Amino acid sequence: MSVAVHVHILESIGLGGLESRLEAIRRLDRSVEHVIAIPRGLQANVPKYWGGGVIELPVSPNLVCTYRELVEFHEFLGRVLGRNDRSIIHTHTPWPAIAVASAPCMVTGVHVHTIHGPIWVPWIGKGRRTFKDVITTLVDRTIAVSKEVEERARSVGVVRRLLTISNASAIEHCPKSPVRQKSGFSPLKAAFAARLDHGKCEGLYQLFDLMKDCPAQIQLDIFGDGPLLRDVSESAREVGEYVRILGADHWFRSRIPEYDLIVGEGRVVLEALSASRSVLVCGSQLATFATFENIDALTYANCTGRGLTDTRPPTAVELLDPPAPPPFPVAPSISKLNSLLAVRSTRAALARRRFASIFANMVRRTEGSAANVIEVLDKLEEENALGLNDELSGDSFRHSIRLPETAEGLP
């Protein structure tokens, strides 16, 4: 029997939480082969820590392409499914999910989609309504990355075939080491890790102000890169020599035991807890320490400040003496969860065939094979409001294509 292959379709790639999550999942379940498929020209951006396969998609970055390119993408999917009958096509953002759903070859494939955002559809603008149809009807299995995302997904109709794989499950634990014993002359060592971008690191500026008021020195190492690097660097110089900006580090996880306090949010929080290190939640704003009392609220919202009722930042004195970290959250194993992904839904497969025919018909009615796919989505949504896709949901959909109760109706 062939080994199951998960082909992860990505619009772009870098050093974010998605890439770290995929690598952790790959390491935690070696029974599945994981491959990332990225648009042409992005090979140099693949993180050095990625240990799976890499293949190039026949499309431009961000998958904003013409219909002719989409046809090439569909041919690519056909070749993937033809090489391995246990291949799973796994999308992580809205546009690839729509592109996969419109592929005729996916009638015999398995399509898994992960919702990484905290809102029910992590996409604002064109194609939004079509994406809702896709995740509620055309996907074999939908994955939520937190309880918060799961509840949002259920609220818009993703009820069946919904699985939550939180980051607590998708964490490769850091090596534990004893807490460093600080002498009277040794400053507390802290590390911040995040992409230096809007909505990711503004809490650093609040932390800098706290450090200026501290009665003792704190050494802060900043691991990250991004558009706000210059602004962060200028603000760090005002604090003094105890703040160092070390750039993005592919192996930050292994460096966590070197520090007394880890500052960040999301996966960084869980990686720190797995190494028994104190954590200060910090992203778009400076929040509070992770404690025994708030760990459930933290993990509910993927270890961001959204789940917290008390987000009071620490005082300068409290910063010098962070509380002991709470225990790492209990979570099911990745290998058990992965085994649930390969089941194909007859209903979703036949719905994809219907969606592909609607999509192809819409292309013929616009600008032919050279039409931009985004324009096709615009037209699709305009007519969707008039009932074009009513058959893609509910009882009317079931009646319109006479869904069989078993897989015997599949080609």
Side-chain angles (χ1 to χ4, degrees):
M1 177 182 288
S2 58
V3 176
V5 177
H6 287 216
V7 181
H8 301 274
I9 309 291
L10 306 182
E11 294 186 32
S12 59
I13 191 165
L15 286 174
L18 168 58
E19 292 81 5
S20 299
R21 175 183 169 93
L22 291 182
E23 173 60 11
I25 289 174
R26 187 195 71 80
R27 286 175 175 267
L28 290 169
D29 185 10
R30 298 300 181 97
S31 66
V32 178
E33 181 182 349
H34 290 271
V35 177
I36 53 175
I38 54 177
R40 62 172 69 97
L42 298 183
Q43 291 272 3
N45 297 347
V46 177
K48 295 177 181 177
Y49 58 69
W50 174 247
V54 180
I55 52 180
E56 191 173 81
L57 295 170
V59 293
S60 304
N62 298 319
L63 294 184
V64 178
C65 56
T66 65
Y67 184 70
R68 185 175 291 115
E69 289 175 310
L70 185 66
V71 170
E72 294 181 12
F73 176 68
H74 289 171
E75 292 174 349
F76 158 82
L77 292 179
R79 291 193 297 271
V80 169
L81 296 175
R83 282 197 297 265
N84 190 312
D85 59 0
R86 299 184 64 198
S87 294
I88 295 174
I89 305 300
H90 195 146
T91 56
H92 296 266
T93 46
W95 166 235
I98 294 173
V100 168
S102 64
C105 65
M106 287 306 297
V107 174
T108 58
V110 176
H111 181 191
V112 174
H113 179 71
T114 295
I115 304 178
H116 292 270
I119 57 176
W120 65 267
V121 49
W123 202 14
I124 303 299
K126 299 174 181 178
R128 178 171 178 168
R129 191 181 308 149
T130 303
F131 177 59
K132 179 184 174 182
D133 285 339
V134 167
I135 64 169
T136 56
T137 312
L138 281 69
V139 172
D140 294 291
R141 177 74 73 173
T142 303
I143 297 174
V145 300
S146 68
K147 189 67 176 178
E148 177 191 32
V149 173
E150 177 191 337
E151 291 180 359
R152 297 291 180 92
R154 290 188 185 280
S155 71
V156 295
V158 186
V159 179
R160 297 175 300 110
R161 307 186 302 276
L162 179 62
L163 177 68
T164 297
I165 302 181
S166 70
N167 275 340
S169 293
I171 286 286
E172 186 184 13
H173 287 213
C174 297
K176 294 185 178 181
S177 62
V179 176
R180 191 175 65 94
Q181 297 299 315
K182 301 184 292 296
S183 69
F185 302 99
S186 176
L188 180 140
K189 291 185 64 177
F192 171 87
R195 178 165 171 76
L196 303 182
D197 202 350
H198 298 282
K200 300 285 188 181
C201 69
E202 288 87 344
L204 264 180
Y205 304 123
Q206 297 171 263
L207 182 59
F208 290 158
D209 290 339
L210 270 183
M211 292 177 64
K212 294 175 186 176
D213 297 333
C214 277
Q217 293 288 358
I218 296 177
Q219 178 184 319
L220 175 64
D221 290 345
I222 298 174
F223 295 90
D225 201 352
L228 295 183
L229 175 61
R230 177 177 295 181
D231 290 341
V232 170
S233 299
E234 291 176 355
S235 298
R237 279 196 289 270
E238 298 176 5
V239 181
E241 60 180 342
Y242 281 88
V243 179
R244 302 186 300 176
I245 297 180
L246 304 179
D249 189 338
H250 292 267
W251 316 108
F252 174 74
R253 182 182 62 85
S254 64
R255 300 189 63 170
I256 287 176
E258 301 173 15
Y259 296 91
D260 309 302
L261 174 67
I262 301 299
V263 185
E265 65 177 1
R267 292 187 61 85
V268 171
V269 171
L270 289 169
E271 288 173 342
L273 294 181
S274 76
S276 300
R277 287 300 182 265
S278 297
V279 177
L280 177 58
V281 181
C282 177
S284 60
Q285 62 179 0
L286 186 64
T288 189
F289 291 112
T291 65
F292 288 84
E293 291 76 22
N294 66 17
I295 185 61
D296 289 340
L298 267 177
T299 54
Y300 168 81
N302 212 11
C303 291
T304 64
R306 288 191 306 274
L308 298 174
T309 55
D310 178 13
T311 57
R312 180 187 64 85
T315 65
V317 174
E318 291 171 336
L319 188 61
L320 291 171
D321 188 23
F328 189 84
V330 177
S333 71
I334 281 294
S335 58
K336 290 182 179 179
L337 295 171
N338 270 341
S339 65
L340 301 174
L341 300 181
V343 179
R344 181 176 57 176
S345 163
T346 302
R347 177 185 174 90
L350 293 179
R352 287 196 292 267
R353 177 161 63 189
R354 178 62 176 148
F355 180 75
S357 66
I358 291 175
F359 194 93
N361 181 58
M362 185 59 68
V363 170
R364 287 192 293 270
R365 293 170 52 197
T366 52
E367 299 180 16
S369 62
N372 187 289
V373 174
I374 294 296
E375 296 171 6
V376 175
L377 286 177
D378 283 346
K379 288 294 293 181
L380 187 63
E381 296 209 338
E382 287 176 15
E383 301 202 20
N384 185 49
L386 301 176
L388 177 66
N389 279 345
D390 282 349
E391 64 268 38
L392 290 180
S393 62
D395 293 337
S396 60
F397 161 77
R398 185 170 195 68
H399 175 74
S400 67
I401 61 173
R402 299 174 186 172
L403 276 172
E405 296 298 330
T406 69
E408 293 175 359
L410 287 173

